[in-house]
Amino acid sequence: MRLLLPLAAIATAVTLSACASSPLGRSQLTLYSDQELEKMGAASFSKYQEELPVVEGKEDAYVSCVANAVTAKVPTSYGITQWEVKVFKDESANAFALPGGHIGVNTGLLDIAENQDQLATVIGHEIAHVLARHANERVSTQSLTSAGLSLTQALAGLEGAGGDQIMGLLGMGAEYGVLKPFSRSHESEADLIGLDLMAEAGFDPRASVKLWANMNASGGGQPPVWMSTHPSDEQRMAALNERLETALPLYEQARASGEKPNCNRLR
């Protein structure tokens, strides 16, 4: 009987959380509140800043310009009124966005994203993971399948393997050797939501296809760290091209309305 009660509680939680859906209508398992995920995101971002140098000056201004233009199009209904943007000195082509409104871009990504539109593709994609609550899904699933992860541990601190696990689940694992790739469904959603978001901000969504081609071409056939958690294939390219039918009108409307970001490229 002692075993049945916890199982019944879990089943009830799963049933109730199944009512949640992503922005594209997919059913989701989200056992934690947005506030709990925001605490995890803030703690993870703080730890990242302790371990990698933060870059200021021209690179920071460029990335912030692109990120601010994209985040300005995030509906207020998501509850994030201000986004924190940081550039980190690291050669890996990595970027991430965390619950609570934290965006990190490594300098290595600026060697692959050739212009503001390509950088907006990456940033829009990462923000889309946050808007679709993909991190909540991953943490929720892991908490049901692994006794090694507990919310108490996550909120208490991020030291040790448990902390690396949380950071991996939030989308930062590549830096810590804990690769936790987003699922293919998560990736597809982030691609489509991110494409619309960047288009609404006045960035050319057609740049997304070239960005993924650059990612695939970098590293002599070996995808960079960022790509190892963001798989790309012909189906992804086809989906992006198909979505342009929706994104291009959004882009044209944004430009006609005066949304014309002019973020100066560094090199």
Side-chain angles (χ1 to χ4, degrees), residues 15 39 78 157 230 242 247 267:
T15 300
K39 289 181 181 178
Y78 285 98
H230 297 72
E242 183 178 351
R267 55 182 182 273

Side-chain angles (χ1 to χ4, degrees), residues 114-210:
E114 298 172 336
N115 52 49
Q116 65 172 9
D117 300 306
Q118 291 184 21
L119 181 58
T121 297
V122 179
I123 291 176
H125 175 96
E126 293 302 324
I127 291 172
H129 278 306
V130 174
L131 303 186
R133 295 179 171 85
H134 290 160
N136 198 328
E137 283 190 86
R138 283 146 58 92
V139 175
S140 297
T141 299
Q142 189 74 3
S143 68
L144 292 179
T145 59
S146 172
L149 174 66
S150 71
L151 181 60
T152 301
Q153 178 191 49
L155 299 181
L158 294 172
E159 299 302 324
D164 287 353
Q165 185 182 28
I166 292 295
M167 296 179 81
L169 290 169
L170 295 184
M172 305 172 68
E175 293 297 323
Y176 300 91
V178 186
L179 293 178
K180 299 287 186 181
F182 281 105
S183 70
R184 192 167 292 274
S185 62
H186 287 173
E187 285 301 299
S188 296
E189 286 187 336
D191 279 348
L192 303 185
I193 296 169
L195 199 66
D196 290 355
L197 195 60
M198 68 176 287
E200 291 173 357
F203 294 102
D204 191 341
R206 290 168 292 195
S208 62
V209 178
K210 183 61 167 67

Side-chain angles (χ1 to χ4, degrees), residues 38-55:
E38 287 169 6
K39 289 181 181 178
M40 295 183 202
S44 296
F45 201 59
S46 178
K47 182 176 180 181
Y48 202 86
Q49 293 178 72
E50 293 175 358
E51 302 196 5
L52 284 178
V54 174
V55 176

Side-chain angles (χ1 to χ4, degrees), residues 101-120:
H102 311 281
I103 297 172
V105 173
N106 286 0
T107 51
L109 181 64
L110 302 181
D111 295 325
I112 293 177
E114 298 172 336
N115 52 49
Q116 65 172 9
D117 300 306
Q118 291 184 21
L119 181 58

